[in-house]
Amino acid sequence: MPPSNNMGALITAPEENRVLIDWLAWSLKVVCPHEAIKLSGLDCLDFSASGIGGMGYKSSLRSGNIVVYYDGNDGMGCHISMTGQGCRQYEAFKNHSNCWFQLLHKLDENKVSFTRIDLAIDNVDGSLQLDKLENAIRSKQIRTRFKKGMLNEGLNLTDSTDELGKTIYIGQPTSRLKIRFYDKAAQLSIKSHWVRCELQCMAERAKEAIKHIIKTDNVGLIAVSALNQYFSVINLDDSNKSRCTLQDWWSTWLSTSEKLRLTTSQALRLVDETIQHIKKQYSTSFAMIKKYLGVAEFHGFVHELIETGNDKLTRKHDYIIRSSRLLIELPF
C-alpha cells in the first residue's frame, strides 16, 4: 500500500527556502501505454482509462495527475506528463528524498525524449521581493535575453483587505525557457512571505537541465545558473550591461537559492479526488443515515450540511473548483 500522502492537509508556507520539480513530461517511441508505463518505472501506480485524449493523442490513462497519452499518429509513440500536483503525488507515493534521481536515471537509461521540466524556487526568508523586481524591470535595471514580459496583478473589487498578489512573466509563450515570479502567500491568503520563482524549460532546454540534474544533486545551483543566463537584476554602473554588477538583494537571493537541495512537498486533493474519497470512506455512513432519517429528512440533513460547508469556503476552495473544472494546473 502507498504511504499516506496527507493530500487533504491545510496548505501552509514552507518552513525554509526550497527547490522543487514542479512539472515533468517525456515521450517514448513505444505505442503501448502499459509498456510506456513500465519503461518509465511507473508500474507501481494504478492507471485507469480517462475517456479523453490530449496533446495530439486520441486516448489517455490517468493516475491522479499523472497522465499517459497514447493512440496518436504514426511515430508519436506515447507521452507522459506529470503536472505539479502529479509531481507531489509521485513524491507521496515513493515517500523518499531520492525518488526524483531514481526516476530521471531510469528515464535516461531508456532513452526517453524529455519535453518539459519546471523547477520551482520557493523563497520564505524575504530575500526575493516582487516590488523590487518590478521596479528594476520598469527602470530597465536588468540584463536579459528576453525582449518582452508581462505583469498580471489581481484587483480586489470588494471591501476585503486580502492581498491578491501579482505575477511577473519573463519571456514569451514560444520561448523554450520561461520565467515566472509570483506571490503564493497572497494567492492562498496566507499571512507570510512566500514568493515563488518558476523556470519552465521546454524541448532542448529541458533535456539540458535534466542532463545536469542527473550528474549532480545540486538542483538549486542548476536553477540559478539557468536563470542567470537569461535574466539578472543589475546596477547600471557600466555603459556595457554585460559588465554591470548585480544588485545586492538579487545577489543575496541567488546565493541562498544556489545552495538549495531538491526537496518534496505535500499534494493537495482536487475536487474529483475528494469525491472519490467520500464515496470510498463515507458511502456506507450516508446510506445508513438516509435509511434512519427517511428520504425527506435526509434531504434536509444534506441541505444543512451544505449550508454549513458554504460558510467555511475560502478563496483556496474556489480556486480548486475552477482548476478542477478547467483541468488546469494548480499553482501550489
Side-chain angles (χ1 to χ4, degrees):
M1 292 290 290
S4 172
N5 58 18
N6 198 28
M7 288 196 300
L10 177 66
I11 298 298
T12 58
E15 295 182 357
E16 57 187 9
N17 297 342
R18 67 184 183 184
V19 60
L20 305 166
I21 291 178
D22 206 46
W23 195 297
L24 185 65
W26 63 95
S27 297
L28 304 94
K29 294 182 179 179
V30 299
V31 297
C32 174
H34 299 288
E35 184 180 358
I37 290 168
K38 185 174 182 180
L39 289 172
S40 299
L42 300 179
D43 44 339
C44 55
L45 303 175
D46 292 326
F47 285 87
S48 58
S50 69
I52 58 174
M55 304 294 294
Y57 296 83
K58 301 181 186 68
S59 306
S60 67
L61 301 178
R62 180 181 290 270
S63 177
N65 286 276
I66 303 174
V67 185
V68 182
Y69 298 99
Y70 67 99
D71 192 15
N73 295 330
D74 290 344
M76 288 179 62
C78 293
H79 181 78
I80 300 180
S81 175
M82 290 184 178
T83 66
Q85 279 298 102
C87 291
R88 305 291 77 82
Q89 291 166 10
Y90 174 75
E91 292 168 348
F93 190 94
K94 288 296 186 180
N95 200 30
H96 62 83
S97 59
N98 206 37
C99 62
W100 285 115
F101 299 104
Q102 290 182 354
L103 176 62
L104 294 176
H105 276 284
K106 174 79 171 179
L107 296 174
D108 186 56
E109 288 172 0
N110 285 309
K111 302 187 184 305
V112 308
S113 178
F114 292 105
T115 59
R116 176 175 175 178
I117 185 171
D118 289 9
L119 299 177
I121 306 172
D122 282 335
N123 179 262
V124 295
D125 67 8
S127 56
L128 178 58
Q129 298 280 346
L130 288 182
D131 288 341
K132 289 183 177 180
L133 178 60
E134 182 184 350
N135 290 337
I137 293 172
R138 291 189 183 281
S139 58
K140 303 298 188 291
Q141 297 179 76
I142 55 173
R143 181 170 55 232
T144 180
R145 295 186 184 184
F146 299 111
K147 295 182 179 180
K148 293 183 178 180
M150 185 174 70
L151 173 65
N152 184 2
E153 188 168 5
L155 296 176
N156 202 330
L157 304 181
T158 70
D159 294 332
S160 172
T161 58
D162 288 345
E163 292 289 334
L164 299 185
K166 65 180 68 173
T167 301
I168 298 173
Y169 298 89
I170 308 296
Q172 296 177 292
T174 56
S175 301
R176 297 299 174 90
L177 186 141
K178 294 184 280 290
I179 306 165
R180 293 182 290 272
F181 297 89
Y182 60 94
D183 189 337
K184 286 181 65 65
Q187 195 173 59
L188 299 174
S189 298
I190 295 173
K191 301 300 182 182
S192 64
H193 178 90
W194 182 5
V195 175
R196 171 168 288 188
C197 169
E198 287 181 350
L199 287 84
Q200 180 180 319
C201 306
M202 308 291 289
E204 68 269 10
R205 295 276 72 82
K207 296 174 186 176
E208 190 70 14
I210 292 170
K211 181 179 74 174
H212 288 290
I213 291 173
I214 290 173
K215 289 182 179 178
T216 175
D217 63 352
N218 195 340
V219 179
L221 178 59
I222 294 169
V224 168
S225 298
L227 179 64
N228 256 332
Q229 287 186 46
Y230 287 85
F231 183 85
S232 294
V233 177
I234 60 173
N235 298 300
L236 298 178
D237 50 13
D238 196 291
S239 58
N240 186 336
K241 281 194 172 183
S242 66
R243 296 195 294 264
C244 288
T245 59
L246 298 178
Q247 291 191 15
D248 288 343
W249 70 270
W250 180 261
S251 180
T252 298
W253 174 63
L254 291 179
S255 64
T256 58
S257 298
E258 69 181 9
K259 299 172 185 177
L260 298 175
R261 302 294 174 178
L262 188 63
T263 56
T264 61
S265 182
Q266 66 185 23
L268 183 71
R269 179 179 287 126
L270 297 182
V271 174
D272 285 344
E273 293 168 293
T274 302
I275 292 172
Q276 295 305 317
H277 175 74
I278 291 173
K279 284 182 178 179
K280 183 176 181 180
Q281 297 294 329
Y282 301 110
S283 58
T284 303
S285 297
F286 271 80
M288 178 183 67
I289 293 171
K290 181 180 179 182
K291 192 170 185 177
Y292 172 74
L293 294 176
V295 175
E297 287 192 40
F298 178 74
H299 283 303
F301 164 75
V302 172
H303 178 76
E304 182 182 354
L305 200 67
I306 293 171
E307 289 300 310
T308 302
N310 274 332
D311 294 336
K312 299 178 181 179
L313 290 175
T314 65
R315 272 182 50 226
K316 182 186 77 174
H317 297 104
D318 290 337
Y319 201 97
I320 291 171
I321 292 168
R322 293 198 306 271
S323 298
S324 299
R325 284 174 176 165
L326 299 175
L327 295 177
I328 62 174
E329 170 58 9
L330 282 168
F332 51 87

